[in-house]
Coordinates of all heavy atoms in Angstrom, one line a residue:
M279 N 0.8 -1.2 0.0 CA 0.0 0.0 0.0 C 0.9 1.2 0.0 O 1.8 1.3 0.8 CB -0.9 0.0 1.2 CG -1.7 1.2 1.3 SD -2.9 1.2 2.7 CE -4.3 0.5 1.9
K280 N 0.6 2.1 -0.9 CA 1.4 3.4 -1.0 C 0.5 4.4 -0.3 O -0.6 4.8 -0.9 CB 1.7 3.8 -2.4 CG 2.7 2.8 -3.0 CD 3.1 3.2 -4.4 CE 4.1 2.2 -5.0 NZ 4.5 2.5 -6.3
L281 N 0.9 4.9 0.8 CA 0.0 5.8 1.6 C -0.4 7.0 0.8 O -1.6 7.4 0.8 CB 0.8 6.3 2.8 CG 1.1 5.1 3.8 CD1 1.8 5.7 5.1 CD2 -0.1 4.4 4.2
A282 N 0.5 7.7 0.0 CA 0.1 8.9 -0.7 C -1.0 8.6 -1.8 O -1.8 9.4 -2.1 CB 1.3 9.5 -1.3
R283 N -0.9 7.4 -2.3 CA -1.8 7.0 -3.4 C -3.1 6.3 -2.9 O -4.2 6.5 -3.4 CB -1.1 6.1 -4.4 CG -1.9 5.7 -5.5 CD -1.3 4.6 -6.4 NE -1.4 3.3 -5.6 CZ -0.6 2.3 -5.8 NH1 0.3 2.3 -6.7 NH2 -0.8 1.2 -5.0
D284 N -3.0 5.5 -1.8 CA -4.0 4.6 -1.4 C -4.8 5.1 -0.2 O -5.8 4.4 0.2 CB -3.5 3.2 -1.2 CG -2.9 2.6 -2.4 OD1 -3.3 3.0 -3.5 OD2 -2.1 1.7 -2.3
I285 N -4.5 6.2 0.3 CA -5.2 6.8 1.4 C -5.5 8.3 1.1 O -4.5 9.0 0.7 CB -4.5 6.8 2.8 CG1 -4.3 5.3 3.2 CG2 -5.3 7.5 3.9 CD1 -3.5 5.1 4.5
M286 N -6.7 8.7 1.0 CA -7.0 10.1 0.7 C -8.3 10.5 1.4 O -9.1 9.7 1.8 CB -7.2 10.2 -0.8 CG -8.4 9.5 -1.4 SD -8.5 9.6 -3.2 CE -7.0 8.9 -3.8
S287 N -8.5 11.8 1.4 CA -9.7 12.3 2.0 C -10.9 12.1 1.1 O -10.8 12.0 -0.1 CB -9.5 13.8 2.3 OG -9.5 14.5 1.1
L288 N -12.1 12.0 1.7 CA -13.3 11.9 0.9 C -13.5 13.0 0.0 O -13.9 12.8 -1.2 CB -14.5 11.8 1.9 CG -15.9 11.6 1.3 CD1 -15.9 10.4 0.4 CD2 -16.9 11.6 2.3
S289 N -13.1 14.2 0.4 CA -13.3 15.4 -0.5 C -12.4 15.3 -1.7 O -12.8 15.6 -2.8 CB -13.0 16.7 0.2 OG -11.7 16.7 0.8
T290 N -11.1 14.7 -1.6 CA -10.2 14.5 -2.7 C -10.9 13.5 -3.6 O -10.9 13.6 -4.9 CB -8.9 14.0 -2.2 OG1 -8.3 15.0 -1.4 CG2 -8.0 13.8 -3.4
F291 N -11.4 12.4 -3.1 CA -12.1 11.4 -3.9 C -13.2 12.0 -4.7 O -13.4 11.7 -5.9 CB -12.6 10.2 -3.0 CG -13.3 9.2 -3.8 CD1 -12.6 8.3 -4.5 CD2 -14.7 9.1 -3.7 CE1 -13.3 7.3 -5.3 CE2 -15.4 8.1 -4.4 CZ -14.7 7.2 -5.2
K292 N -14.0 12.8 -4.0 CA -15.2 13.4 -4.7 C -14.7 14.3 -5.9 O -15.3 14.3 -7.0 CB -16.0 14.3 -3.7 CG -16.8 13.5 -2.8 CD -17.6 14.5 -1.9 CE -18.4 13.8 -0.8 NZ -19.1 14.8 0.0
R293 N -13.6 15.0 -5.7 CA -13.1 15.9 -6.7 C -12.5 15.2 -7.8 O -12.7 15.6 -9.0 CB -12.1 16.9 -6.0 CG -11.6 18.0 -6.9 CD -10.7 19.0 -6.2 NE -9.6 18.3 -5.4 CZ -9.5 18.2 -4.1 NH1 -10.4 18.8 -3.3 NH2 -8.5 17.6 -3.5
D294 N -11.8 14.1 -7.5 CA -11.0 13.4 -8.6 C -11.5 11.9 -8.7 O -10.7 11.0 -9.0 CB -9.6 13.4 -8.2 CG -9.0 14.8 -8.3 OD1 -9.4 15.6 -9.0 OD2 -8.0 15.0 -7.5
S295 N -12.8 11.6 -8.6 CA -13.3 10.2 -8.6 C -12.9 9.5 -9.8 O -12.6 8.3 -9.8 CB -14.8 10.2 -8.3 OG -15.5 10.9 -9.3
N296 N -13.0 10.1 -11.0 CA -12.7 9.4 -12.2 C -11.2 8.9 -12.2 O -10.9 7.8 -12.6 CB -13.0 10.2 -13.5 CG -14.5 10.4 -13.7 OD1 -15.3 9.5 -13.4 ND2 -14.9 11.4 -14.4
K297 N -10.4 9.8 -11.8 CA -8.9 9.5 -11.7 C -8.7 8.4 -10.7 O -7.9 7.4 -11.0 CB -8.2 10.8 -11.3 CG -6.7 10.5 -11.2 CD -6.0 11.8 -10.7 CE -4.5 11.6 -10.4 NZ -3.9 12.7 -9.8
V298 N -9.3 8.5 -9.6 CA -9.1 7.4 -8.6 C -9.7 6.1 -9.1 O -9.0 5.0 -8.8 CB -9.8 7.8 -7.2 CG1 -9.7 6.7 -6.2 CG2 -9.2 9.1 -6.7
M299 N -10.8 6.1 -9.7 CA -11.3 4.8 -10.3 C -10.4 4.2 -11.3 O -10.2 3.0 -11.3 CB -12.7 5.1 -10.8 CG -13.7 5.3 -9.7 SD -15.4 5.6 -10.2 CE -15.8 4.1 -10.9
R300 N -9.8 5.0 -12.2 CA -8.9 4.5 -13.1 C -7.7 3.9 -12.4 O -7.1 2.8 -12.8 CB -8.4 5.6 -14.1 CG -9.4 5.9 -15.2 CD -8.8 6.8 -16.3 NE -8.2 8.0 -15.8 CZ -8.9 9.2 -15.6 NH1 -10.2 9.2 -15.8 NH2 -8.3 10.2 -15.1
Q301 N -7.2 4.6 -11.4 CA -6.1 4.1 -10.6 C -6.4 2.7 -9.9 O -5.6 1.8 -10.0 CB -5.8 5.1 -9.5 CG -4.8 4.6 -8.4 CD -4.9 5.5 -7.2 OE1 -4.8 6.7 -7.3 NE2 -5.0 4.9 -6.0
M302 N -7.6 2.6 -9.4 CA -8.0 1.3 -8.7 C -8.0 0.2 -9.8 O -7.6 -0.9 -9.5 CB -9.3 1.5 -8.0 CG -9.2 2.3 -6.7 SD -10.7 2.3 -5.8 CE -11.9 3.1 -6.9
K303 N -8.6 0.5 -10.9 CA -8.6 -0.6 -12.0 C -7.2 -1.0 -12.4 O -7.0 -2.1 -12.7 CB -9.4 -0.1 -13.1 CG -10.9 -0.1 -12.8 CD -11.7 0.3 -14.1 CE -13.2 0.3 -13.7 NZ -14.1 0.6 -14.8
K304 N -6.3 0.0 -12.5 CA -5.0 -0.3 -12.9 C -4.2 -1.0 -11.8 O -3.5 -2.0 -12.1 CB -4.3 1.0 -13.3 CG -2.8 0.9 -13.7 CD -2.2 2.2 -14.0 CE -0.7 2.0 -14.4 NZ 0.0 3.3 -14.5
T305 N -4.2 -0.6 -10.6 CA -3.4 -1.1 -9.6 C -4.0 -2.3 -8.8 O -3.4 -3.0 -8.2 CB -3.0 -0.1 -8.5 OG1 -4.3 0.3 -7.8 CG2 -2.4 1.1 -9.1
K306 N -5.4 -2.4 -8.9 CA -6.1 -3.4 -8.2 C -6.0 -3.2 -6.7 O -6.4 -4.1 -5.9 CB -5.7 -4.8 -8.6 CG -5.8 -5.2 -10.1 CD -7.2 -5.1 -10.5 CE -7.3 -5.4 -12.0 NZ -8.6 -4.9 -12.6
A307 N -5.6 -2.1 -6.3 CA -5.4 -1.8 -4.8 C -6.6 -1.0 -4.3 O -7.1 -0.1 -5.1 CB -4.1 -1.0 -4.6
P308 N -7.1 -1.3 -3.2 CA -8.2 -0.4 -2.6 C -7.7 0.9 -2.2 O -6.5 1.1 -2.0 CB -8.7 -1.3 -1.4 CG -7.5 -2.0 -1.0 CD -6.7 -2.3 -2.3
V309 N -8.6 1.8 -2.0 CA -8.3 3.2 -1.5 C -9.1 3.4 -0.2 O -10.3 3.1 -0.1 CB -8.7 4.3 -2.6 CG1 -8.5 5.6 -2.0 CG2 -7.9 4.0 -3.9
V310 N -8.4 3.9 0.8 CA -9.0 4.2 2.1 C -9.3 5.7 2.0 O -8.5 6.5 1.8 CB -8.0 3.9 3.2 CG1 -8.6 4.3 4.6 CG2 -7.6 2.4 3.2
L311 N -10.6 5.9 2.3 CA -11.1 7.3 2.3 C -11.2 7.8 3.8 O -11.7 7.0 4.6 CB -12.5 7.4 1.6 CG -12.4 7.0 0.1 CD1 -13.8 7.2 -0.5 CD2 -11.4 7.7 -0.7
T312 N -10.8 9.0 4.0 CA -10.8 9.5 5.4 C -11.7 10.7 5.5 O -12.0 11.4 4.5 CB -9.4 10.0 5.8 OG1 -9.0 11.0 4.9 CG2 -8.3 8.8 5.7
V313 N -12.3 10.8 6.7 CA -13.1 11.9 7.1 C -12.5 12.5 8.3 O -12.3 11.8 9.3 CB -14.6 11.5 7.3 CG1 -15.4 12.7 7.7 CG2 -15.1 10.9 6.0
N314 N -12.1 13.7 8.3 CA -11.5 14.4 9.4 C -10.2 13.7 9.9 O -9.9 13.5 11.0 CB -12.4 14.6 10.6 CG -13.6 15.5 10.3 OD1 -13.4 16.4 9.6 ND2 -14.7 15.1 10.8
G315 N -9.5 13.1 8.9 CA -8.2 12.4 9.1 C -8.3 11.0 9.6 O -7.3 10.4 9.9
K316 N -9.5 10.5 9.7 CA -9.7 9.1 10.2 C -10.3 8.2 9.1 O -11.2 8.7 8.4 CB -10.7 9.1 11.4 CG -10.1 9.8 12.6 CD -11.0 9.7 13.8 CE -10.4 10.5 15.0 NZ -11.2 10.4 16.2
A317 N -9.8 7.0 9.0 CA -10.4 6.1 8.0 C -11.9 5.9 8.2 O -12.4 5.7 9.3 CB -9.7 4.8 8.1
A318 N -12.6 6.1 7.1 CA -14.1 6.0 7.2 C -14.6 4.9 6.3 O -15.6 4.3 6.6 CB -14.7 7.3 6.8
V319 N -14.0 4.7 5.1 CA -14.5 3.7 4.2 C -13.4 3.3 3.2 O -12.4 4.0 3.0 CB -15.7 4.3 3.4 CG1 -15.3 5.4 2.4 CG2 -16.5 3.2 2.7
V320 N -13.6 2.0 2.8 CA -12.6 1.5 1.8 C -13.3 1.3 0.5 O -14.5 0.8 0.5 CB -12.0 0.1 2.2 CG1 -11.1 -0.5 1.2 CG2 -11.3 0.3 3.6
V321 N -12.7 1.7 -0.6 CA -13.3 1.6 -1.9 C -12.4 0.8 -2.8 O -11.2 0.9 -2.7 CB -13.5 3.0 -2.6 CG1 -14.1 2.9 -4.0 CG2 -14.3 3.9 -1.7
Q322 N -13.0 -0.2 -3.6 CA -12.1 -1.0 -4.4 C -12.9 -1.3 -5.7 O -14.1 -1.2 -5.7 CB -11.6 -2.2 -3.8 CG -12.5 -3.3 -3.5 CD -11.9 -4.4 -2.7 OE1 -12.4 -4.8 -1.7 NE2 -10.8 -5.0 -3.2
D323 N -12.2 -1.7 -6.8 CA -12.8 -2.0 -8.0 C -13.6 -3.4 -7.9 O -13.3 -4.2 -7.0 CB -11.8 -2.1 -9.2 CG -10.9 -3.3 -9.1 OD1 -10.1 -3.3 -8.2 OD2 -11.0 -4.2 -9.9
A324 N -14.6 -3.6 -8.7 CA -15.5 -4.7 -8.6 C -14.7 -6.0 -8.8 O -15.0 -7.0 -8.1 CB -16.6 -4.6 -9.6
E325 N -13.8 -6.1 -9.7 CA -13.1 -7.3 -10.0 C -12.3 -7.8 -8.8 O -12.3 -8.9 -8.4 CB -12.2 -7.1 -11.2 CG -11.4 -8.4 -11.6 CD -10.5 -8.1 -12.8 OE1 -10.9 -7.2 -13.7 OE2 -9.5 -8.8 -12.9
S326 N -11.6 -6.8 -8.2 CA -10.8 -7.1 -7.0 C -11.7 -7.6 -5.8 O -11.3 -8.5 -5.0 CB -9.9 -5.9 -6.5 OG -9.0 -5.6 -7.5
Y327 N -12.8 -6.9 -5.7 CA -13.8 -7.3 -4.6 C -14.3 -8.7 -4.8 O -14.4 -9.5 -3.9 CB -14.9 -6.3 -4.6 CG -15.9 -6.5 -3.5 CD1 -15.6 -6.4 -2.1 CD2 -17.2 -7.0 -3.8 CE1 -16.5 -6.7 -1.1 CE2 -18.1 -7.3 -2.8 CZ -17.7 -7.1 -1.4 OH -18.6 -7.4 -0.4
Q328 N -14.6 -9.0 -6.1 CA -15.1 -10.4 -6.3 C -14.0 -11.4 -6.0 O -14.3 -12.5 -5.4 CB -15.5 -10.5 -7.8 CG -16.0 -11.9 -8.2 CD -17.3 -12.2 -7.4 OE1 -18.2 -11.4 -7.3 NE2 -17.4 -13.4 -7.0
R329 N -12.7 -11.1 -6.3 CA -11.6 -12.1 -6.0 C -11.5 -12.2 -4.5 O -11.3 -13.3 -3.9 CB -10.3 -11.6 -6.5 CG -10.1 -12.0 -8.0 CD -8.7 -11.9 -8.4 NE -8.0 -10.7 -8.0 CZ -7.9 -9.6 -8.8 NH1 -8.4 -9.6 -10.0 NH2 -7.3 -8.5 -8.4
L330 N -11.7 -11.1 -3.7 CA -11.7 -11.1 -2.3 C -12.8 -12.0 -1.7 O -12.6 -12.8 -0.8 CB -11.8 -9.7 -1.7 CG -11.7 -9.5 -0.2 CD1 -10.3 -9.9 0.3 CD2 -12.0 -8.1 0.2
L331 N -14.0 -11.9 -2.3 CA -15.1 -12.7 -1.8 C -14.8 -14.2 -2.1 O -15.1 -15.1 -1.2 CB -16.4 -12.3 -2.5 CG -17.0 -11.0 -2.2 CD1 -18.2 -10.7 -3.0 CD2 -17.4 -11.0 -0.7
E332 N -14.3 -14.5 -3.3 CA -13.9 -15.9 -3.6 C -12.9 -16.5 -2.6 O -13.0 -17.6 -2.2 CB -13.5 -16.0 -5.1 CG -14.6 -15.8 -6.0 CD -14.2 -15.6 -7.4 OE1 -12.9 -15.6 -7.7 OE2 -15.0 -15.3 -8.3
L333 N -11.9 -15.6 -2.3 CA -10.8 -16.1 -1.4 C -11.4 -16.3 0.0 O -11.1 -17.3 0.6 CB -9.7 -15.0 -1.3 CG -8.6 -15.3 -0.4 CD1 -7.9 -16.6 -0.8 CD2 -7.6 -14.1 -0.4
K334 N -12.3 -15.5 0.4 CA -13.0 -15.6 1.7 C -13.7 -16.9 1.7 O -13.7 -17.7 2.7 CB -13.9 -14.5 2.0 CG -14.7 -14.6 3.3 CD -15.7 -13.4 3.3 CE -16.6 -13.5 4.6 NZ -17.6 -14.5 4.4
E335 N -14.5 -17.2 0.7 CA -15.2 -18.5 0.6 C -14.3 -19.7 0.6 O -14.6 -20.7 1.4 CB -16.1 -18.5 -0.7 CG -17.0 -19.7 -0.8 CD -17.9 -19.7 -2.0 OE1 -18.1 -18.6 -2.6 OE2 -18.3 -20.8 -2.4
R336 N -13.2 -19.7 -0.1 CA -12.3 -20.8 -0.1 C -11.7 -21.0 1.3 O -11.5 -22.1 1.8 CB -11.2 -20.5 -1.1 CG -11.5 -21.0 -2.5 CD -10.3 -20.9 -3.4 NE -10.7 -20.2 -4.5 CZ -10.0 -19.1 -5.0 NH1 -8.9 -18.7 -4.5 NH2 -10.5 -18.5 -6.0
T337 N -11.4 -19.9 2.0 CA -10.8 -19.9 3.3 C -11.8 -20.6 4.3 O -11.4 -21.4 5.1 CB -10.4 -18.5 3.8 OG1 -9.5 -18.0 2.9 CG2 -9.9 -18.6 5.2
E338 N -13.1 -20.2 4.1 CA -14.1 -20.8 5.0 C -14.2 -22.3 4.7 O -14.4 -23.1 5.7 CB -15.4 -20.1 4.8 CG -15.4 -18.7 5.3 CD -16.7 -17.9 4.9 OE1 -17.4 -18.3 4.1 OE2 -16.8 -16.8 5.5
V339 N -14.2 -22.7 3.5 CA -14.3 -24.2 3.1 C -13.1 -24.9 3.7 O -13.2 -26.0 4.3 CB -14.3 -24.4 1.6 CG1 -14.1 -25.8 1.2 CG2 -15.7 -23.9 1.1
V340 N -11.9 -24.4 3.6 CA -10.7 -25.0 4.1 C -10.8 -25.1 5.6 O -10.5 -26.2 6.2 CB -9.4 -24.2 3.7 CG1 -8.2 -24.6 4.5 CG2 -9.2 -24.3 2.2
E341 N -11.3 -24.1 6.3 CA -11.4 -24.1 7.7 C -12.4 -25.2 8.2 O -12.2 -26.0 9.1 CB -11.8 -22.8 8.3 CG -11.8 -22.7 9.8 CD -10.4 -22.9 10.4 OE1 -9.4 -22.6 9.7 OE2 -10.3 -23.3 11.5
T342 N -13.5 -25.3 7.4 CA -14.5 -26.3 7.7 C -13.9 -27.7 7.6 O -14.1 -28.6 8.4 CB -15.7 -26.2 6.8 OG1 -16.3 -24.9 7.1 CG2 -16.8 -27.3 7.1
L343 N -13.2 -27.9 6.5 CA -12.6 -29.2 6.2 C -11.5 -29.6 7.3 O -11.4 -30.7 7.7 CB -11.9 -29.2 4.8 CG -12.9 -29.2 3.7 CD1 -12.2 -29.1 2.3 CD2 -13.7 -30.5 3.7
R344 N -10.8 -28.5 7.7 CA -9.8 -28.7 8.7 C -10.4 -29.2 10.0 O -10.0 -30.1 10.7 CB -9.0 -27.4 9.0 CG -7.9 -27.5 10.0 CD -7.1 -26.3 10.1 NE -6.3 -26.1 8.9 CZ -6.3 -24.9 8.2 NH1 -6.9 -23.8 8.7 NH2 -5.6 -24.7 7.1
H345 N -11.5 -28.6 10.4 CA -12.3 -29.0 11.6 C -12.8 -30.4 11.5 O -12.7 -31.2 12.4 CB -13.4 -28.0 11.9 CG -13.0 -26.8 12.5 ND1 -12.4 -26.6 13.8 CD2 -13.0 -25.5 12.0 CE1 -12.1 -25.4 14.0 NE2 -12.4 -24.7 12.9
R346 N -13.3 -30.7 10.3 CA -13.9 -32.1 10.1 C -12.8 -33.2 10.1 O -13.0 -34.2 10.7 CB -14.7 -32.1 8.8 CG -15.9 -31.3 8.9 CD -16.8 -31.4 7.7 NE -18.0 -30.6 7.9 CZ -18.8 -30.3 6.9 NH1 -18.7 -30.8 5.7 NH2 -19.9 -29.6 7.2
L347 N -11.7 -32.9 9.5 CA -10.6 -33.8 9.6 C -10.0 -34.0 11.0 O -9.7 -35.1 11.4 CB -9.4 -33.4 8.6 CG -9.7 -33.5 7.1 CD1 -8.6 -32.8 6.3 CD2 -9.9 -35.0 6.7
A348 N -10.0 -32.9 11.7 CA -9.5 -33.0 13.1 C -10.5 -33.8 13.9 O -10.0 -34.6 14.8 CB -9.4 -31.6 13.7
S349 N -11.8 -33.7 13.7 CA -12.8 -34.5 14.5 C -12.6 -36.0 14.1 O -12.8 -36.9 14.9 CB -14.2 -34.0 14.3 OG -14.6 -34.3 13.0
L350 N -12.3 -36.3 12.8 CA -12.1 -37.7 12.4 C -10.9 -38.3 13.2 O -10.9 -39.4 13.6 CB -11.9 -37.8 10.9 CG -13.1 -37.7 10.1 CD1 -12.7 -37.7 8.6 CD2 -14.1 -38.8 10.4
G351 N -9.8 -37.4 13.3 CA -8.6 -37.9 14.0 C -8.9 -38.1 15.5 O -8.2 -39.0 16.1
R352 N -9.9 -37.5 16.0 CA -10.2 -37.7 17.4 C -11.3 -38.8 17.6 O -11.9 -39.0 18.7 CB -10.7 -36.4 18.1 CG -9.7 -35.3 18.2 CD -10.2 -34.1 19.0 NE -11.4 -33.5 18.5 CZ -11.6 -32.6 17.6 NH1 -10.5 -32.0 17.1 NH2 -12.8 -32.1 17.2
K353 N -11.6 -39.4 16.5 CA -12.6 -40.5 16.5 C -14.0 -40.0 16.8 O -14.8 -40.7 17.4 CB -12.2 -41.7 17.4 CG -10.8 -42.3 17.1 CD -10.9 -43.0 15.8 CE -9.5 -43.7 15.6 NZ -9.3 -44.1 14.3
K354 N -14.3 -38.8 16.5 CA -15.6 -38.2 16.7 C -16.4 -38.4 15.4 O -15.8 -38.4 14.3 CB -15.6 -36.7 17.1 CG -14.9 -36.5 18.4 CD -15.3 -35.2 19.0 CE -14.8 -35.1 20.4 NZ -15.4 -34.1 21.2
G355 N -17.6 -38.6 15.5 CA -18.4 -38.8 14.3 C -18.7 -40.3 14.2 O -18.3 -41.1 15.0
R356 N -19.5 -40.6 13.1 CA -19.8 -42.0 12.9 C -20.1 -42.2 11.4 O -20.4 -41.2 10.7 CB -21.0 -42.5 13.7 CG -22.2 -41.6 13.5 CD -23.3 -42.0 14.5 NE -24.3 -41.0 14.5 CZ -25.6 -41.2 14.8 NH1 -25.9 -42.4 15.1 NH2 -26.5 -40.3 14.8
P357 N -20.2 -43.4 10.9 CA -20.4 -43.7 9.5 C -21.8 -43.2 9.2 O -22.8 -43.3 10.0 CB -20.3 -45.2 9.4 CG -19.5 -45.6 10.5 CD -19.8 -44.7 11.6
V358 N -22.0 -42.6 8.0 CA -23.3 -42.1 7.5 C -24.4 -43.1 7.5 O -25.5 -42.8 7.8 CB -23.1 -41.4 6.2 CG1 -22.8 -42.4 5.1 CG2 -24.3 -40.5 5.8
E359 N -24.0 -44.4 7.2 CA -25.0 -45.4 7.2 C -25.7 -45.6 8.6 O -26.9 -45.8 8.7 CB -24.4 -46.8 6.7 CG -23.9 -46.8 5.3 CD -22.5 -46.2 5.1 OE1 -21.8 -45.9 6.1 OE2 -22.1 -46.0 4.0
D360 N -24.8 -45.5 9.6 CA -25.4 -45.7 11.0 C -26.3 -44.5 11.3 O -27.4 -44.7 11.9 CB -24.2 -45.7 12.0 CG -23.4 -47.0 11.9 OD1 -23.7 -47.9 11.1 OD2 -22.3 -47.0 12.5
F361 N -25.9 -43.3 10.9 CA -26.7 -42.1 11.2 C -28.1 -42.3 10.5 O -29.1 -42.1 11.2 CB -26.1 -40.9 10.7 CG -27.0 -39.7 10.7 CD1 -27.3 -39.0 11.8 CD2 -27.6 -39.3 9.5 CE1 -28.2 -38.0 11.8 CE2 -28.6 -38.3 9.5 CZ -28.8 -37.6 10.6
F362 N -28.1 -42.7 9.2 CA -29.4 -42.8 8.5 C -30.3 -43.9 9.0 O -31.5 -43.8 9.2 CB -29.2 -42.8 7.0 CG -28.9 -41.5 6.4 CD1 -27.7 -41.2 5.8 CD2 -29.9 -40.5 6.4 CE1 -27.4 -40.0 5.2 CE2 -29.7 -39.3 5.8 CZ -28.4 -39.0 5.2
T363 N -29.7 -45.0 9.4 CA -30.4 -46.1 10.0 C -31.2 -45.6 11.3 O -32.4 -45.8 11.4 CB -29.5 -47.3 10.3 OG1 -28.9 -47.8 9.1 CG2 -30.3 -48.4 11.0
E364 N -30.4 -45.0 12.1 CA -31.0 -44.5 13.4 C -32.0 -43.4 13.1 O -33.1 -43.3 13.7 CB -29.9 -43.9 14.3 CG -30.4 -43.3 15.6 CD -29.2 -42.7 16.4 OE1 -28.2 -43.4 16.5 OE2 -29.5 -41.6 17.0
F365 N -31.8 -42.5 12.1 CA -32.7 -41.4 11.8 C -34.0 -41.9 11.3 O -35.1 -41.5 11.7 CB -32.0 -40.5 10.7 CG -32.8 -39.3 10.3 CD1 -32.9 -38.2 11.1 CD2 -33.6 -39.4 9.2 CE1 -33.6 -37.1 10.7 CE2 -34.4 -38.3 8.8 CZ -34.4 -37.1 9.5
F366 N -33.9 -42.9 10.4 CA -35.1 -43.5 9.8 C -36.0 -44.2 10.9 O -37.2 -44.1 10.9 CB -34.8 -44.5 8.7 CG -34.3 -43.9 7.4 CD1 -33.5 -44.6 6.5 CD2 -34.5 -42.6 7.1 CE1 -33.0 -44.0 5.4 CE2 -34.1 -41.9 6.0 CZ -33.3 -42.7 5.1
V367 N -35.3 -44.9 11.8 CA -36.0 -45.6 12.9 C -36.7 -44.6 13.8 O -37.9 -44.7 14.1 CB -35.1 -46.5 13.7 CG1 -35.7 -47.0 14.9 CG2 -34.7 -47.7 12.8
K368 N -36.0 -43.6 14.2 CA -36.4 -42.5 15.1 C -37.6 -41.8 14.5 O -38.6 -41.5 15.3 CB -35.3 -41.6 15.4 CG -35.7 -40.4 16.4 CD -34.5 -39.5 16.6 CE -34.9 -38.4 17.5 NZ -33.8 -37.5 17.8
H369 N -37.7 -41.6 13.2 CA -38.8 -40.8 12.6 C -39.8 -41.7 11.8 O -40.6 -41.2 11.1 CB -38.2 -39.7 11.7 CG -37.4 -38.7 12.4 ND1 -37.9 -37.7 13.2 CD2 -36.0 -38.6 12.6 CE1 -37.0 -37.0 13.8 NE2 -35.8 -37.5 13.4
N370 N -39.7 -43.0 12.1 CA -40.6 -43.9 11.5 C -40.7 -43.8 9.9 O -41.7 -43.7 9.3 CB -42.1 -43.8 12.0 CG -42.1 -44.2 13.5 OD1 -41.5 -45.1 13.9 ND2 -42.9 -43.5 14.3
I371 N -39.5 -43.7 9.4 CA -39.4 -43.6 7.9 C -39.0 -44.9 7.4 O -38.0 -45.5 7.8 CB -38.4 -42.5 7.5 CG1 -38.8 -41.1 8.1 CG2 -38.2 -42.4 6.0 CD1 -37.7 -40.0 7.9
P372 N -39.7 -45.4 6.4 CA -39.3 -46.8 5.8 C -38.0 -46.6 5.1 O -37.8 -45.6 4.4 CB -40.4 -47.1 4.9 CG -41.4 -46.0 4.9 CD -40.9 -45.0 5.8
A373 N -37.1 -47.5 5.3 CA -35.8 -47.5 4.7 C -35.9 -47.9 3.2 O -36.6 -48.9 2.9 CB -34.8 -48.4 5.4
G374 N -35.4 -47.1 2.3 CA -35.5 -47.4 0.9 C -34.3 -48.2 0.5 O -33.3 -48.2 1.1
D375 N -34.5 -49.0 -0.5 CA -33.4 -49.9 -1.0 C -32.7 -49.3 -2.2 O -33.1 -48.7 -3.0 CB -34.0 -51.3 -1.3 CG -34.4 -52.0 -0.1 OD1 -33.8 -51.9 1.0 OD2 -35.5 -52.7 -0.1

């Protein structure tokens, strides 16, 4: 992050929004907008935002898999066939073949 380029006041952004948008598309870097010298909002181009969402989703999947693998290592859980047999019996559902 280049502070002079990637942090600016909201008023500067309003004045030069077209220039800032071209910059974001070129650099793929977000811009932090400040109000009274304090960070108020982050603006980024749509393509970079979409990549960020995809990365977040992948990270969540990896974390879920990590937890599930750890529970298998601790011998927690049971075979799916056992679960469904018990579930069908508990809810009076005829087992399908």
Side-chain angles (χ1 to χ4, degrees):
M279 175 176 271
K280 295 185 178 178
L281 296 181
R283 181 192 70 200
D284 297 336
I285 298 177
M286 68 180 60
S287 69
L288 179 59
S289 59
T290 300
F291 177 78
K292 287 179 181 179
R293 186 174 52 249
D294 297 327
S295 61
N296 287 334
K297 177 182 171 186
V298 176
M299 290 178 67
R300 283 192 304 273
Q301 167 196 313
M302 286 187 295
K303 285 183 180 186
K304 180 181 174 188
T305 66
K306 303 297 181 197
V309 174
V310 178
L311 301 180
T312 62
V313 175
N314 297 324
K316 294 183 181 180
V319 70
V320 176
V321 181
Q322 71 184 125
D323 70 291
E325 183 181 329
S326 295
Y327 182 69
Q328 183 62 42
R329 276 198 314 264
L330 182 65
L331 290 177
E332 290 166 2
L333 179 59
K334 177 185 177 285
E335 183 177 339
R336 274 188 235 129
T337 302
E338 290 170 350
V339 168
V340 167
E341 190 61 27
T342 299
L343 291 173
R344 184 176 292 134
H345 284 291
R346 289 181 181 175
L347 288 172
S349 72
L350 283 175
R352 292 187 309 267
K353 304 289 186 199
K354 293 199 172 199
R356 58 186 167 151
V358 69
E359 294 84 8
D360 294 350
F361 167 80
F362 279 115
T363 299
E364 182 182 316
F365 181 83
F366 289 158
V367 169
K368 181 178 179 181
H369 295 284
N370 296 323
I371 300 172
D375 293 318

